[in-house]
Amino acid sequence: MRKFGLFLCLSLLFAFTGCSDSDDVEEQGGTVLAKPSVAVTTTTSSSFKVAWDAVPNAESYKYRLSQENETGDELVVQPENSTSATALAFGDLDPKTKYILRVKAVAAAGSGLTDSEYSKIFATTLAEEAAELTFEKIAATNPTYESVDVEIVPSAENLYYWQVVENSLIEGKSDREIVAALKENISELSSGTVKKTVHGLKADTEYTVVAFGYDLDAGKSTSAVARLETAFTTPADDRMTIAITVGEVADNNVHVTFEPSVADGRYFADVVAAADIAGKSEYEIVVLLQNKYGAEMTDIVRNGKFETDVAVEENKNYVAVAFGYNVAASEFLTQFFRAEIKNGGDEPGMSEAWVNMACVYGTISGQPGIGAELYPNDKTVKVKAGGFTLTGPATSLEEIGMTEASLRERIMKEGIDVTPSQGSYQVSAPTEYGQVWLFGTIGIDEQGNAGEANWFIVKAQASASTEPEILGMSDKNDETGGDEPIETDAWSDITAVSWEMQDAGLAIFFDCEPNKTATAVTVGAWTLDMDKFPAPPTSLEEIGIRSESELRSMTLEDGIALDMEKKYVGLKTNAGEVWLFSTVAADAEGKNGAVNWVIAQVPASPSGEYGACTILGQSENNNAGGIELVGSTYEDYLGAWTLVSYGSAIVGEKGYQFTETPLQFNVRIEKDVEGQSYKVYGWNADTEFANANPFIMNYDPKETEGIGGWLNIPLAQVVKTEGNIDWTLCPRFLSGETYYYYTNTDMDKAFIGAREKEGAVVIQGGQYEFTGGIGVVQILSMNFMGIDKDNPKGEAQTRPLETKHALAPYVLVKGDLSASNARNRMQISRKAADIARVQATINTFASLSTAAAIGAPRHVAKPTNIRQINGRSTGMLGLGTTSESMMTVYYRSDR
């Protein structure tokens, strides 16, 4: 029997490691060697390492290393060299510096083959690390069956993390493995000496104490792991025990005896329906009993031995429970004891709740990661999940000495509760290359009943350029073999959605613009059942489609062919109707590209013969407005501009109202620090104040996505002080029913922008993520708030003329380019996708003026997409069928 140990599945989202120019590994013409697929494996402040899979028929490899300076020019660090290895290490490098490595495969002389093209990869060294943190003292004293006193004395005031852990979980593990196992529990760090009593330990269990320096922003350790010199063992639990004896059920009656080990011991005891407590924790069961009998639970207080006859219903199972409990302190005085009473009912918790699973993989802070994306059915309101590492490959539970029943029991006892992140349920964990895992899930319904266990066994990816291998899975798992790979850049933009009044009634049209690679396009169109939505949806997640990959499959399965001459689709519609449109383009070889999509709404009262539909949401990569960003010099942004906004927020004593009526300002951009920053005048409804008190906008010459000369607006900024009042330019966003403002934040890129080829400047609000119920938000606007320096948490002042806020995104134009035309041509009512997609990692707000409403801020990593290798979601919320929507095809009338 193979051993296996539980490794808690931590709720992470994977980020990819990608090579900018090294993804294409096809041989060209049969005579050119494939380019090496190079990946960065390790990075420090002064070095990095790379590796690649051997290229067939390659005799050796040539490489050269260069450095990118502040202006984007390349400086040679190491001239071209040769190697027969498939891994390289570079040392003695500058910290926090971007390096460029090029590697190509070299063909053997006389082989008739040609050297490959160079693969190109970027590697940025880390910032210089602080001096190594050590610990002068780590001590654990006075252990009880559930607690221990801990004292930790670090050598410096550096931030560090510490924890009391079961020794068996880390024994024999490396520092990196220990940090990987603990890092997702880290929400706060210590500094200086710690003296604390730690509770919640298990009796008669060996523990140790570990401590290590940790950078919460970077998500990595900054020192070696120190641990207690000698592990300690908690003593046996000497508290009172309670024996429960259950007699035979006869005539729907059963005799139950509760007998404490202390003759006159006081405790609580009762008999409850098994279904009522299925899946509940011990504290949840106490709360259930307090709701039934009152907070003091006086009706079920027992002293000494207690016997009773209990009436039970036929075909219904029960559980006798007993426990010592301090009601005032809300803590257990004994263990929680239980005994089952079988009376012909189904096993408790066996419901129709079910969770399908698909394997996901990627990297976590540069380390390989493996996990599962979860797809609960409509009976499931809660998911429990467990992840187990195995010592070797297996194709079934039987091979590792388990059954689905025993897996279910273990997950219910030891698994974690999984909540959705960004609309997606995931469990995942750092792993070693090639490590074998068992992932299991259980769905729990709204009555608390648990369904059957689902599972799969997977061997993690062997390298950064390979995929995991599914070794076995439950027969009931809805595994489809994976999505069709995207092997072409064939693409079709959706450039406009409009309505038209025709003799046969109202029609909706969406226009497509395939790229040069596309020779055919499959289009999908679905109406949305708005009775199932509280508001018109703006994303696939709100509709119930979990990913673009899923929409791509739907489009290819259910869509119709686009007329490549007309390049539009016309369909019958109704006033106010909301549509989801999608496109998947194919190349001359029939390979399908990525999916594109738009959610659009027909006006509730169309007036005239034709007009534009409202775009509610669309793919980040859709270039509906034809925006093409270009590089810009510092001087390109200087001068007088006309700013036009997407819309406006009307703010008054009774609250706020959002409108799509744009605001327009005359803005002046002047030099602040040459080549680095600007002073911006006039950007506010209070024109006089804005012209007298400019804010600072920064210029970034470095290239991102091939575009240099980005703008960013850092917030908050104090622009003027009057007595005790700091007039501060603050960011604002909408969450729920609240239009929040922040007065003391430190965001490098509250807004980010760039110039497009026609000369206009597009500026988009940044995106940030909060804990405490807020989640991801988009910065919508900014305005001046007066903050009292003597009472910074008091009510902020507003300027009387500032009753309208310009809502992002914004377009700045000058010269002959009309502001209104620029806004329409670039469809600014949508997100400026080319800017949003290269936005920096989400920052964390330093402190919150409305902290009570949001909860304490913490460092949160920006979610990124994951790759899916098997499985897809089933069923969509509120989607009409494609066939019904597309039975009547309309054509445009002559205009």
Side-chain angles (χ1 to χ4, degrees), residues 686-698:
D686 190 339
T687 305
E688 182 177 351
F689 185 84
N691 278 323
N693 301 283
F695 66 82
I696 300 301
M697 180 167 66
N698 292 327

PDB file of all heavy atoms in Angstrom, residues 686-698:
ATOM      1  N   ASP A 686     -14.646  72.197 -11.124  1.00  0.00           N
ATOM      2  CA  ASP A 686     -14.290  73.472 -10.500  1.00  0.00           C
ATOM      3  C   ASP A 686     -13.081  74.016 -11.258  1.00  0.00           C
ATOM      4  O   ASP A 686     -11.927  73.896 -10.841  1.00  0.00           O
ATOM      5  CB  ASP A 686     -13.960  73.256  -9.018  1.00  0.00           C
ATOM      6  CG  ASP A 686     -13.826  74.571  -8.261  1.00  0.00           C
ATOM      7  OD1 ASP A 686     -13.587  75.607  -8.915  1.00  0.00           O
ATOM      8  OD2 ASP A 686     -13.944  74.562  -7.020  1.00  0.00           O
ATOM      9  N   THR A 687     -13.340  74.634 -12.398  1.00  0.00           N
ATOM     10  CA  THR A 687     -12.281  75.007 -13.338  1.00  0.00           C
ATOM     11  C   THR A 687     -11.278  75.972 -12.722  1.00  0.00           C
ATOM     12  O   THR A 687     -10.058  75.818 -12.911  1.00  0.00           O
ATOM     13  CB  THR A 687     -12.911  75.637 -14.591  1.00  0.00           C
ATOM     14  OG1 THR A 687     -13.854  74.731 -15.135  1.00  0.00           O
ATOM     15  CG2 THR A 687     -11.853  75.947 -15.624  1.00  0.00           C
ATOM     16  N   GLU A 688     -11.771  76.962 -12.001  1.00  0.00           N
ATOM     17  CA  GLU A 688     -10.871  77.974 -11.439  1.00  0.00           C
ATOM     18  C   GLU A 688      -9.877  77.329 -10.475  1.00  0.00           C
ATOM     19  O   GLU A 688      -8.679  77.607 -10.508  1.00  0.00           O
ATOM     20  CB  GLU A 688     -11.685  79.059 -10.729  1.00  0.00           C
ATOM     21  CG  GLU A 688     -10.830  80.191 -10.161  1.00  0.00           C
ATOM     22  CD  GLU A 688     -11.669  81.281  -9.525  1.00  0.00           C
ATOM     23  OE1 GLU A 688     -12.923  81.235  -9.676  1.00  0.00           O
ATOM     24  OE2 GLU A 688     -11.092  82.175  -8.884  1.00  0.00           O
ATOM     25  N   PHE A 689     -10.364  76.458  -9.607  1.00  0.00           N
ATOM     26  CA  PHE A 689      -9.483  75.799  -8.643  1.00  0.00           C
ATOM     27  C   PHE A 689      -8.495  74.874  -9.361  1.00  0.00           C
ATOM     28  O   PHE A 689      -7.302  74.839  -9.039  1.00  0.00           O
ATOM     29  CB  PHE A 689     -10.323  74.982  -7.646  1.00  0.00           C
ATOM     30  CG  PHE A 689      -9.514  74.352  -6.546  1.00  0.00           C
ATOM     31  CD1 PHE A 689      -9.176  75.066  -5.413  1.00  0.00           C
ATOM     32  CD2 PHE A 689      -9.077  73.036  -6.651  1.00  0.00           C
ATOM     33  CE1 PHE A 689      -8.425  74.488  -4.388  1.00  0.00           C
ATOM     34  CE2 PHE A 689      -8.325  72.451  -5.644  1.00  0.00           C
ATOM     35  CZ  PHE A 689      -7.998  73.186  -4.505  1.00  0.00           C
ATOM     36  N   ALA A 690      -8.985  74.121 -10.370  1.00  0.00           N
ATOM     37  CA  ALA A 690      -8.124  73.183 -11.094  1.00  0.00           C
ATOM     38  C   ALA A 690      -7.047  73.904 -11.899  1.00  0.00           C
ATOM     39  O   ALA A 690      -5.937  73.388 -12.068  1.00  0.00           O
ATOM     40  CB  ALA A 690      -8.965  72.302 -12.010  1.00  0.00           C
ATOM     41  N   ASN A 691      -7.345  75.090 -12.400  1.00  0.00           N
ATOM     42  CA  ASN A 691      -6.344  75.848 -13.153  1.00  0.00           C
ATOM     43  C   ASN A 691      -5.295  76.481 -12.239  1.00  0.00           C
ATOM     44  O   ASN A 691      -4.169  76.748 -12.660  1.00  0.00           O
ATOM     45  CB  ASN A 691      -7.023  76.937 -13.984  1.00  0.00           C
ATOM     46  CG  ASN A 691      -7.565  76.397 -15.293  1.00  0.00           C
ATOM     47  OD1 ASN A 691      -6.957  75.541 -15.916  1.00  0.00           O
ATOM     48  ND2 ASN A 691      -8.731  76.886 -15.704  1.00  0.00           N
ATOM     49  N   ALA A 692      -5.679  76.722 -10.995  1.00  0.00           N
ATOM     50  CA  ALA A 692      -4.739  77.333 -10.047  1.00  0.00           C
ATOM     51  C   ALA A 692      -3.941  76.289  -9.279  1.00  0.00           C
ATOM     52  O   ALA A 692      -2.878  76.605  -8.725  1.00  0.00           O
ATOM     53  CB  ALA A 692      -5.503  78.218  -9.057  1.00  0.00           C
ATOM     54  N   ASN A 693      -4.427  75.026  -9.247  1.00  0.00           N
ATOM     55  CA  ASN A 693      -3.797  73.991  -8.428  1.00  0.00           C
ATOM     56  C   ASN A 693      -3.649  72.706  -9.247  1.00  0.00           C
ATOM     57  O   ASN A 693      -4.509  71.825  -9.199  1.00  0.00           O
ATOM     58  CB  ASN A 693      -4.634  73.716  -7.176  1.00  0.00           C
ATOM     59  CG  ASN A 693      -4.803  74.959  -6.330  1.00  0.00           C
ATOM     60  OD1 ASN A 693      -3.889  75.368  -5.614  1.00  0.00           O
ATOM     61  ND2 ASN A 693      -5.981  75.578  -6.416  1.00  0.00           N
ATOM     62  N   PRO A 694      -2.583  72.590 -10.032  1.00  0.00           N
ATOM     63  CA  PRO A 694      -2.417  71.424 -10.898  1.00  0.00           C
ATOM     64  C   PRO A 694      -2.093  70.165 -10.099  1.00  0.00           C
ATOM     65  O   PRO A 694      -1.594  70.234  -8.973  1.00  0.00           O
ATOM     66  CB  PRO A 694      -1.230  71.812 -11.783  1.00  0.00           C
ATOM     67  CG  PRO A 694      -0.424  72.727 -10.920  1.00  0.00           C
ATOM     68  CD  PRO A 694      -1.440  73.521 -10.134  1.00  0.00           C
ATOM     69  N   PHE A 695      -2.394  68.992 -10.684  1.00  0.00           N
ATOM     70  CA  PHE A 695      -1.933  67.733 -10.106  1.00  0.00           C
ATOM     71  C   PHE A 695      -0.788  67.187 -10.952  1.00  0.00           C
ATOM     72  O   PHE A 695      -0.514  67.691 -12.044  1.00  0.00           O
ATOM     73  CB  PHE A 695      -3.072  66.715  -9.976  1.00  0.00           C
ATOM     74  CG  PHE A 695      -3.659  66.230 -11.276  1.00  0.00           C
ATOM     75  CD1 PHE A 695      -3.054  65.205 -12.014  1.00  0.00           C
ATOM     76  CD2 PHE A 695      -4.857  66.760 -11.762  1.00  0.00           C
ATOM     77  CE1 PHE A 695      -3.606  64.740 -13.194  1.00  0.00           C
ATOM     78  CE2 PHE A 695      -5.415  66.307 -12.945  1.00  0.00           C
ATOM     79  CZ  PHE A 695      -4.776  65.287 -13.670  1.00  0.00           C
ATOM     80  N   ILE A 696      -0.112  66.167 -10.443  1.00  0.00           N
ATOM     81  CA  ILE A 696       1.071  65.603 -11.102  1.00  0.00           C
ATOM     82  C   ILE A 696       0.692  64.330 -11.870  1.00  0.00           C
ATOM     83  O   ILE A 696      -0.019  63.465 -11.346  1.00  0.00           O
ATOM     84  CB  ILE A 696       2.178  65.275 -10.080  1.00  0.00           C
ATOM     85  CG1 ILE A 696       2.590  66.546  -9.334  1.00  0.00           C
ATOM     86  CG2 ILE A 696       3.383  64.640 -10.774  1.00  0.00           C
ATOM     87  CD1 ILE A 696       3.100  67.662 -10.225  1.00  0.00           C
ATOM     88  N   MET A 697       1.160  64.260 -13.103  1.00  0.00           N
ATOM     89  CA  MET A 697       1.005  63.058 -13.926  1.00  0.00           C
ATOM     90  C   MET A 697       2.404  62.610 -14.344  1.00  0.00           C
ATOM     91  O   MET A 697       3.235  63.438 -14.739  1.00  0.00           O
ATOM     92  CB  MET A 697       0.145  63.356 -15.157  1.00  0.00           C
ATOM     93  CG  MET A 697      -0.071  62.173 -16.084  1.00  0.00           C
ATOM     94  SD  MET A 697      -1.380  62.513 -17.297  1.00  0.00           S
ATOM     95  CE  MET A 697      -0.606  63.833 -18.260  1.00  0.00           C
ATOM     96  N   ASN A 698       2.694  61.319 -14.252  1.00  0.00           N
ATOM     97  CA  ASN A 698       4.037  60.809 -14.517  1.00  0.00           C
ATOM     98  C   ASN A 698       4.178  60.281 -15.939  1.00  0.00           C
ATOM     99  O   ASN A 698       3.202  59.844 -16.560  1.00  0.00           O
ATOM    100  CB  ASN A 698       4.383  59.693 -13.530  1.00  0.00           C
ATOM    101  CG  ASN A 698       4.541  60.208 -12.117  1.00  0.00           C
ATOM    102  OD1 ASN A 698       4.988  61.337 -11.913  1.00  0.00           O
ATOM    103  ND2 ASN A 698       4.161  59.409 -11.139  1.00  0.00           N
TER     104      ASN A 698
END
